Amino acid sequence: MKQYQQTYRKNFALVIIFLILITAALGGALYTAYNFTAKYVENEFASQKIEVLEETIKPYNDFFQNKIPEISFYQGYLDSTQAAKYIDTIFRKFNFVDRVVFYDATISNRTFSEGIRVNNFSLGPKAIYQFSRNIPPDSILLFKENESSKPFSLKSGDEFNKMALKFSGFIELADTSRVLNDSDRFNVFYSVISKRISYMNIPRREEIKIYKDLMVSNLTLSPIYELDMFSFYLDPLKLTIKNTKPELYESINIKPLVYESLENTSEIISNDLPLSGPFSDYKLYFSSSRTFLRKEINARFLPIAGGLIISYFIVVLIAYLIFRNLNINSKLFKLQYDFINNLTHEFKTPVSVIKIAGNNIRSATQLSDRERNHYGKILDEEADKLNDLMNKLLSFTQIENKAIQIKPESINLEVFCQNLIDSYQVKYPNFDISYIIKGVEYFRSDPVLLGSIFQNLIDNAYKYSRPDNKVLKIKITKIKKQLFIKFSDRGIGIPTKDLNNIFEKFFRVQNEYNQQGSVGLGLAFCKELVKFMHGNISVKSVVGEGSEFTIELPYEL
Ligand code: ADP
């Protein structure tokens, strides 16, 4: 018993240590997972801005790579109406284009009043128009050749002259035997400065040849060739920001490159990425408050935490199942051990009593009648005990293997009970045993099996009651199609925690009443028998007050 308690305590301590360790491991894992998630989100905050930039700048790239080069399709023959149409498509699609200046230019070897002249090569504007979303129609024309009311202003001419010079330089050195490459195209026909892109239509190879001849040879008056140039004024602040990661960036703005935030840096996380090309004086400025980011961290951490907690419970459950299994095994082992112990004891006692009686008889020279009677009774009783025990074991094995057969007959319950009580009163004179039968007289069942059930329950009622209070009341009633048999004693009772186990094989509640002569088979046997008879057995008990076993059997007449 002491040893059992010790192992129990040891097991309990192990369970507690295991639970503490695994809970600490869960805590550690949750803490590390949270920190990792927080780091991951902060890293994403720093790295995902490139994607936002790429998405934001996409319309500009489309404008630069696809829309602007459309000008070259017209080979310089755009007039103000066609240019207005072309520019209108730009205004509709690209809201960062604020204003466009269109230079309708000509090339010749004559001298123009405006523009540039290199050797015999002249490039000058015929007219300059400006287009914007809100420019009144009368201010569209900025300059027109031979019209004194619209003088050529340096302000509108600066970009034109710059591009014209670049172009004449290109013509001068142009190698007309080869096709233009990308770098020529970009360096000569584009001009990208802050907030402005200028573009000149790219002439065909034959035209470049003509212009080159024009420049170097002294020809008579040449025809007038057309050339178009556009200057696009861009507003970086009108770029539509595509926040592709709204969960990371609370706000994204376009700010000048030199912009520094005055916000409290401990509460706000910020980062920036410079824009390029005509927007290179500006940057994308990303900022999020820590509370905002924490929401994202929590959203990502929650499934991880869920997974960890589920794993934790699975491990605890597995550990519990293993522990329970081990416990059941050790209980079973203990039960079997007890059973063998008890059984040996049960067999040994009558055997030694028989042996002593036999010895006494053999060594006695003469036996008086009283002595003969006495020894005879002892031998008879002990042989009965052995017989009972063997029968019990045998019947149990039979019933477990379903090798028993019901031989039903109509039992007169009154006679059946009275006979049993009579025999018990002879056996145990201090046993106050009584019965009541209500609403039923005969019951069809196997009297041997029913007798076994009665005997076991009556034996227990006697065994587990104090010597001065051995009282048992048997009550038989018929309710509808069921027969109820109640055995109520005033014995020691059964602890609630053991109530579920007492019908198990070899189970015994540890107490002083069953140290000898009990193997823990009686109730298990009753249960098997009742089951075999398609009935049910149940128990109610209060420690110190008594127990009530109820058997419910299908009523048959
Ligand atoms: P046993 O051979 O030990 O009597 P049983 O299967 O008949 O085996 O009973 C199992 C246990 O249930 C017993 O060890 C005993 O502690 C408890 N028990 C059975 N009947 C009673 C009762 N009427 N009052 C109190 N305890 C009982």
Side-chain angles (χ1 to χ4, degrees):
M1 187 75 174
K2 211 173 161 192
Q3 201 189 353
Y4 179 69
Q5 268 183 9
Q6 263 178 12
T7 31
Y8 179 73
R9 270 198 212 119
K10 211 154 85 189
N11 282 347
F12 194 65
L14 270 178
V15 171
I16 297 285
I17 290 172
F18 171 76
L19 279 179
I20 291 174
L21 278 180
I22 190 138
T23 312
L26 173 75
L30 285 176
Y31 177 77
T32 324
Y34 187 83
N35 279 348
F36 265 114
T37 319
K39 269 260 131 48
Y40 184 72
V41 169
E42 276 176 30
N43 283 346
E44 284 226 317
F45 182 87
S47 63
Q48 293 296 319
K49 56 190 186 190
I50 295 169
E51 196 186 305
V52 177
L53 175 83
E54 275 169 5
E55 283 303 311
T56 305
I57 216 74
K58 235 182 202 162
Y60 166 75
N61 289 339
D62 179 31
F63 169 70
F64 187 80
Q65 285 159 10
N66 306 318
K67 193 68 194 172
I68 294 182
E70 275 181 23
I71 295 164
S72 288
F73 300 163
Y74 303 98
Q75 283 306 313
Y77 291 112
L78 279 174
D79 62 18
S80 63
T81 331
Q82 288 162 320
K85 265 191 208 153
Y86 164 74
I87 290 164
D88 192 46
T89 59
I90 291 181
F91 282 152
R92 253 184 279 142
K93 198 166 169 201
F94 306 103
N95 56 345
F96 50 85
V97 180
D98 236 12
R99 190 157 67 89
V100 183
V101 175
F102 167 50
Y103 301 87
D104 191 3
T106 46
I107 294 172
S108 171
N109 57 1
R110 314 155 195 235
T111 313
F112 297 138
S113 61
E114 304 300 338
I116 58 131
R117 183 172 177 82
V118 179
N119 297 335
N120 295 321
F121 175 86
S122 293
L123 171 55
K126 207 163 51 169
I128 306 175
Y129 304 90
Q130 69 166 334
F131 298 89
S132 166
R133 286 166 218 272
N134 42 20
I135 281 183
D138 59 350
S139 57
I140 283 179
L141 183 64
L142 290 181
F143 162 77
K144 186 139 187 146
E145 207 179 16
N146 307 327
E147 245 185 53
S148 55
S149 60
K150 297 279 177 196
F152 184 78
S153 89
L154 260 185
K155 200 164 168 273
S156 48
D158 63 342
E159 193 65 6
F160 178 81
N161 287 347
K162 218 166 80 188
M163 290 287 285
L165 271 174
K166 246 199 313 182
F167 182 61
S168 57
F170 164 73
I171 296 293
E172 195 178 0
L173 300 173
D175 175 1
T176 49
S177 61
R178 66 172 178 90
V179 188
L180 280 186
N181 61 26
D182 275 353
S183 114
D184 289 339
R185 273 177 228 274
F186 187 74
N187 290 332
V188 180
F189 299 97
Y190 280 97
S191 157
V192 180
I193 57 170
S194 177
K195 298 206 234 174
R196 190 161 158 191
I197 295 181
S198 300
Y199 180 80
M200 188 181 264
N201 80 274
I202 304 173
R204 283 185 285 258
R205 220 171 350 151
E206 311 83 70
E207 281 160 343
I208 294 173
K209 223 184 252 172
I210 296 172
Y211 300 158
K212 199 170 167 135
D213 289 347
L214 214 73
M215 191 178 270
V216 291
S217 54
N218 233 338
L219 294 172
T220 47
L221 278 187
S222 74
I224 290 179
Y225 301 95
E226 296 277 337
L227 192 97
D228 291 332
M229 193 189 120
F230 285 78
S231 240
F232 302 93
Y233 290 80
L234 312 178
D235 184 353
L237 300 179
K238 285 192 185 146
L239 275 172
T240 313
I241 294 169
K242 302 261 168 58
N243 189 353
T244 50
K245 299 278 165 188
E247 68 280 8
L248 286 177
Y249 305 116
E250 195 174 9
S251 88
I252 306 176
N253 296 302
I254 294 173
K255 299 275 184 200
L257 258 192
V258 288
Y259 173 82
E260 280 288 346
S261 167
L262 297 175
E263 286 156 329
N264 178 4
T265 46
S266 66
E267 247 319 288
I268 301 278
I269 296 187
S270 66
N271 215 314
D272 52 30
L273 199 61
L275 295 166
S276 55
F279 309 127
S280 56
D281 287 345
Y282 288 82
K283 63 183 178 185
L284 276 183
Y285 182 77
F286 304 81
S287 69
S288 296
S289 69
R290 289 209 177 262
T291 341
F292 178 82
L293 275 189
R294 216 165 290 138
K295 262 189 235 151
E296 177 60 12
I297 296 172
N298 288 345
R300 291 183 191 207
F301 172 64
L302 232 66
I304 303 176
L308 282 173
I309 289 170
I310 289 173
S311 319
Y312 169 82
F313 280 115
I314 290 175
V315 172
V316 171
L317 185 75
I318 292 173
Y320 165 75
L321 290 178
I322 293 174
F323 180 72
R324 203 183 65 153
N325 235 9
L326 285 178
N327 245 6
I328 291 174
N329 279 353
S330 79
K331 253 188 204 160
L332 261 180
F333 177 76
K334 193 176 168 301
L335 282 177
Q336 277 174 0
Y337 178 81
D338 279 3
F339 170 71
I340 293 169
N341 247 1
N342 288 335
L343 211 63
T344 327
H345 186 86
E346 285 294 288
F347 274 105
K348 254 188 159 169
T349 320
V351 167
S352 36
V353 174
I354 288 170
K355 207 168 159 57
I356 295 168
N359 267 342
N360 283 358
I361 295 171
R362 202 174 36 179
S363 55
T365 43
Q366 227 180 353
L367 281 178
S368 67
D369 274 357
R370 210 178 63 83
E371 281 171 330
R372 195 165 37 84
N373 252 337
H374 178 64
Y375 288 126
K377 194 172 163 240
I378 288 176
L379 288 176
D380 202 34
E381 274 175 8
E382 296 308 314
D384 274 354
K385 272 190 195 167
L386 282 177
N387 197 29
D388 259 13
L389 210 59
M390 306 254 264
N391 281 344
K392 230 184 209 178
L393 274 175
L394 208 66
S395 330
F396 201 91
T397 327
Q398 277 179 338
I399 193 124
E400 268 207 320
N401 295 331
K402 310 257 180 291
I404 225 166
Q405 273 196 350
I406 298 186
K407 292 189 194 103
E409 56 187 74
S410 187
I411 303 170
N412 182 328
L413 291 169
E414 186 84 35
V415 177
F416 178 82
C417 288
Q418 196 54 56
N419 282 347
L420 265 173
I421 289 177
D422 287 348
S423 72
Y424 270 98
Q425 247 140 24
V426 174
K427 207 164 151 194
Y428 308 127
N430 62 337
F431 197 7
D432 175 3
I433 169 167
S434 59
Y435 67 90
I436 314 173
I437 301 172
K438 264 193 189 164
V440 56
E441 209 177 327
Y442 285 93
F443 177 55
R444 195 171 169 78
S445 181
D446 185 323
V448 180
L449 300 188
L450 195 65
S452 262
I453 299 171
F454 269 67
Q455 264 171 21
N456 273 298
L457 293 175
I458 297 173
D459 276 342
N460 278 354
Y462 184 81
K463 214 164 30 169
Y464 300 110
S465 297
R466 279 181 305 278
D468 56 339
N469 201 14
K470 295 195 184 288
V471 180
L472 173 69
K473 285 195 164 56
I474 303 171
K475 188 176 173 190
I476 305 179
T477 44
K478 189 187 129 238
I479 300 173
K480 290 184 184 162
K481 294 210 149 172
Q482 297 293 99
L483 189 78
F484 290 88
I485 312 167
K486 282 190 194 304
F487 297 81
S488 320
D489 64 41
R490 290 199 214 140
I492 56 168
I494 304 160
T496 320
K497 69 172 170 55
D498 293 323
L499 280 178
N500 280 337
N501 298 325
I502 54 170
F503 296 106
E504 301 281 320
K505 255 190 294 178
F506 310 131
F507 181 87
R508 295 178 317 142
V509 182
Q510 296 280 345
N511 59 46
E512 58 191 281
Y513 294 84
N514 58 10
Q515 291 310 298
Q516 289 176 5
S518 54
V519 273
L521 275 181
L523 288 179
F525 183 53
C526 282
K527 187 171 178 171
E528 287 294 329
L529 279 178
V530 171
K531 209 164 88 185
F532 194 65
M533 293 157 84
H534 310 292
N536 190 31
I537 181 165
S538 58
V539 61
K540 278 193 246 163
S541 185
V542 178
V543 173
E545 286 186 18
S547 313
E548 183 181 272
F549 286 85
T550 306
I551 286 166
E552 189 184 336
L553 293 169
Y555 177 72
E556 279 169 52
L557 196 61

